[in-house]
């Protein structure tokens, strides 16, 4: 993950842990939306660290 992705994750972590957010939206293309939905609903990972 690049630096921008790491910053994004830190912001999300802060919003959830310290500001009480329970949901947020990310604008993305349809295919990435399916990948995110799969991860959220099943815990599946779709990145270069899985075999």
């Amino acid at each position: 993950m690049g630096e921008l992705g790491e910053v994004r994750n830190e912001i999300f972590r802060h919003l959830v842990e310290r500001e009480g957010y329970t949901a947020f939206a990310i604008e993305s293309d349809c295919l990435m939306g399916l990948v995110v939905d799969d991860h959220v609903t099943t815990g599946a990972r779709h990145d270069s660290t899985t075999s």
Side-chain angles (χ1 to χ4, degrees):
M1 179 180 317
E3 185 176 330
L4 183 58
E6 292 172 15
V7 170
R8 178 201 62 214
N9 290 346
E10 287 298 317
I11 291 170
F12 291 162
R13 185 173 291 112
H14 173 82
L15 290 173
V16 170
E17 294 176 354
R18 299 189 181 186
E19 303 295 331
Y21 281 62
T22 58
F24 50 87
I26 301 171
E27 185 174 342
S28 181
D29 61 35
C30 184
L31 180 58
M32 186 54 69
L34 294 173
V35 170
V36 170
D37 181 66
D38 192 33
H39 173 72
V40 169
T41 57
T42 69
R45 294 192 62 178
H46 300 274
D47 60 14
S48 60
T49 63
T50 60
S51 358

